[in-house]
Amino acid sequence: MVDYLIVGLGLAGIAFCERLEEHGKSFMVINDQSQTSSNIAGGLYNPVILKRFNLAWKAHEQLGLIQDFYKSLEDKLGVSLDHKVPVLRRFASVEEQNLWFEAADKQRLKPYLSTKLLINNNPSLNAPFGFGEVLQTGRVDTLKLVKVYSGYLSKKKLLFEETFNFEELKADVNNVSYGNINAKRIVFATGFGLKSNKYFNYLPLNGTKGELLTIKAPLLNEERVIKSSVFIIPIGNDLYRIGSTYKWKDKTNEPTSEARLELLTKLETFLNCDYKIVSHVAGIRPTVADRRPLVGKHPVIDNIYLLNGFGSRGVMIAPYASNQLYEYIENSRSIDPEMDITRYEQANIKV
Ligand SMILES: Cc1cc2nc3c(=O)[nH]c(=O)nc-3n(C[C@H](O)[C@H](O)[C@H](O)COP(=O)(O)OP(=O)(O)OC[C@H]3O[C@@H](n4cnc5c(N)ncnc54)[C@H](O)[C@@H]3O)c2cc1C
């Protein structure tokens, strides 16, 4: 008997495992490769929505948690994950500059938007109106995190690499059983895989496909993240990730030539140097109709829980949402009502 069975080992599953280890709870994990979101994410964390210069949802609370969270993962796993890189928003006009400085004046945004106008000094970038710098930003190497964390659990024989079979799950008032595993509770953290979860697929997880390119550009010489119509994210060795796209119809993890063309067309409006494409990846962001996470207990069955809906901000949301789920289960604390799944209609629930 273990305390928890967790299904899914992306950012959500990892964040929940971390809470369990922190509190000395026993657990096992089942994970397959059907979803790729955490493996391919740009990995950026940044408290500001750069399209409209708004503060992201609960950004302040989330930023307060992520530093310790990723630092303790780095210490435990012995790898470097959190790269504290500045994010520069490229201005397309004087109007945009003005909007930025108006926003930077607001109390809530003051800690996160620099009031200095940065002039472009990189000849490989076209940025005649300069940049604004977002403060307290960085990039987490999510692919490395998933890989190293999977290895860490495998070594301890806590990870089963297989697809969860819903027919094998039995739940009663005291515990759940799945094959040979008996657990007090089960937590589903399967990202867009929620669609095939009969317990929770009544929830409005839409999913938004995103694609990213990696390019090699030896002349770009840029160490900061540049946000224009696409992001340029430096990852070292003259490699840069270019992303990303947002598509709502296609729900496959296959890279497409349309997305590649879209990314390159946008990139070339502000990149002046030669480059070559090194790789192209795709995944589905677990996005929700109201843009809030999906966290909580199954409305009918006591020992079945959900941690999902991190959308395009998993790096920042994972520590926050996993904390709340843990506190809810173990210490009867209430979940932030904005992300508690009880906010959704329960008419279509299957048991
Ligand atoms: C192109 C792109 C760029 C992004 N950039 C950023 C960014 O810069 N910053 C940021 O914060 N976020 C970013 N995101 C969003 C981020 O990737 C997600 O918010 C986050 O990774 C979701 O994590 P998750 O654990 O909920 O889901 P996932 O990463 O999808 O993990 C779910 C896991 O569960 C497994 N699984 C599913 N079903 C089953 C099953 N039946 N049995 C066993 N295992 C199962 C999957 O295979 C997967 O391993 C980006 C996403 C995309 C697509």
Side-chain angles (χ1 to χ4, degrees):
M1 171 72 87
V2 287
D3 292 317
Y4 286 84
L5 176 59
I6 297 164
V7 186
L9 197 66
L11 287 171
I14 291 172
F16 199 73
C17 290
E18 281 300 282
R19 295 298 165 220
L20 298 178
E21 290 225 315
E22 190 186 323
H23 292 96
K25 302 284 179 190
S26 56
F27 64 89
M28 286 187 170
V29 180
I30 294 174
N31 185 56
D32 67 11
Q33 303 299 322
S34 56
Q35 295 301 321
T36 58
S37 199
S38 298
N39 296 349
I40 64 130
L44 296 178
Y45 59 88
N46 127 49
V48 181
I49 298 169
L50 290 172
K51 219 174 187 175
R52 302 183 292 272
F53 309 146
N54 285 339
L55 200 58
W57 178 71
K58 303 275 177 190
H60 185 67
E61 290 86 334
Q62 291 166 12
L63 273 182
L65 295 174
I66 65 169
Q67 305 303 336
D68 285 354
F69 179 77
Y70 292 107
K71 174 78 174 72
S72 79
L73 273 168
E74 288 183 330
D75 292 346
K76 173 156 128 182
L77 302 171
V79 289
S80 140
L81 299 167
D82 181 0
H83 307 278
K84 304 209 182 305
V85 282
V87 172
L88 303 191
R89 169 63 154 82
R90 173 184 176 269
F91 297 129
S93 61
V94 173
E95 288 73 35
E96 268 198 358
Q97 290 175 343
N98 291 339
L99 286 174
W100 174 279
F101 290 109
E102 257 172 48
D105 240 11
K106 293 185 186 147
Q107 206 54 37
R108 277 156 55 81
L109 284 160
K110 250 186 193 155
Y112 306 116
L113 296 181
S114 161
T115 49
K116 217 164 108 192
L117 176 68
L118 294 181
I119 303 302
N120 179 34
N121 53 13
N122 185 339
S124 295
L125 293 174
N126 165 25
F129 298 98
F131 307 96
E133 181 178 349
V134 190
L135 307 171
Q136 305 192 40
T137 56
R139 176 180 69 87
V140 170
D141 190 334
T142 55
L143 174 61
K144 193 198 267 182
L145 171 58
V146 173
K147 272 192 176 160
V148 178
Y149 206 86
S150 301
Y152 168 78
L153 292 186
S154 292
K155 240 188 192 163
K156 302 210 295 179
K157 301 207 181 332
L158 299 180
L159 175 64
F160 297 91
E161 300 199 45
E162 62 189 47
T163 298
F164 187 82
N165 177 359
F166 284 87
E167 300 316 313
E168 279 190 41
L169 179 67
K170 295 189 177 57
D172 65 35
V173 280
N174 296 317
N175 57 41
V176 298
S177 70
Y178 180 79
N180 295 331
I181 304 172
N182 289 304
K184 290 184 188 153
R185 302 171 182 98
I186 185 165
V187 174
F188 288 104
T190 55
F192 191 64
L194 178 141
K195 285 292 173 197
S196 52
N197 182 333
K198 64 178 181 177
Y199 298 99
F200 291 109
N201 61 8
Y202 70 94
L203 292 164
L205 188 85
N206 303 333
T208 310
K209 182 169 181 174
E211 301 192 34
L212 278 160
L213 299 170
T214 302
I215 62 166
K216 188 157 182 100
L219 297 178
L220 178 50
N221 259 327
E222 185 56 73
E223 288 182 349
R224 305 158 302 178
V225 172
I226 306 293
K227 163 68 175 137
S228 185
S229 45
V230 285
F231 276 101
I232 298 180
I233 307 170
I235 56 172
N237 298 324
D238 297 326
L239 296 171
Y240 299 86
R241 305 197 77 192
I242 309 301
S244 49
T245 54
Y246 289 79
K247 294 283 179 284
W248 289 268
K249 280 197 182 133
D250 178 3
K251 304 296 188 200
T252 70
N253 291 322
E254 298 308 315
T256 62
S257 50
E258 291 80 6
R260 175 187 157 119
L261 181 64
E262 177 185 330
L263 291 171
L264 295 181
T265 306
K266 288 179 173 170
L267 177 67
E268 287 180 10
T269 60
F270 67 105
L271 182 76
N272 291 328
C273 64
D274 288 343
Y275 62 87
K276 78 171 190 245
I277 298 169
V278 174
S279 72
H280 181 181
V281 289
I284 313 291
R285 303 173 184 88
T287 48
V288 184
D290 67 1
R291 295 161 176 261
R292 296 290 175 262
L294 295 169
V295 182
K297 184 173 82 63
H298 188 273
V300 179
I301 310 171
D302 276 349
N303 297 310
I304 302 188
Y305 296 88
L306 184 69
L307 185 60
N308 208 316
F310 295 179
S312 53
R313 293 191 155 261
V315 171
M316 278 179 67
I317 292 177
Y320 178 73
S322 62
N323 232 2
Q324 292 233 345
L325 181 62
Y326 182 85
E327 289 298 324
Y328 169 72
I329 300 173
E330 295 289 341
N331 298 318
S332 306
R333 297 249 178 90
S334 52
I335 297 173
D336 179 337
E338 281 189 89
M339 63 180 184
D340 191 328
I341 54 173
T342 55
R343 71 191 186 276
Y344 283 113
E345 181 59 49
Q346 297 172 13
N348 301 324
I349 296 164
K350 291 180 199 142
V351 180

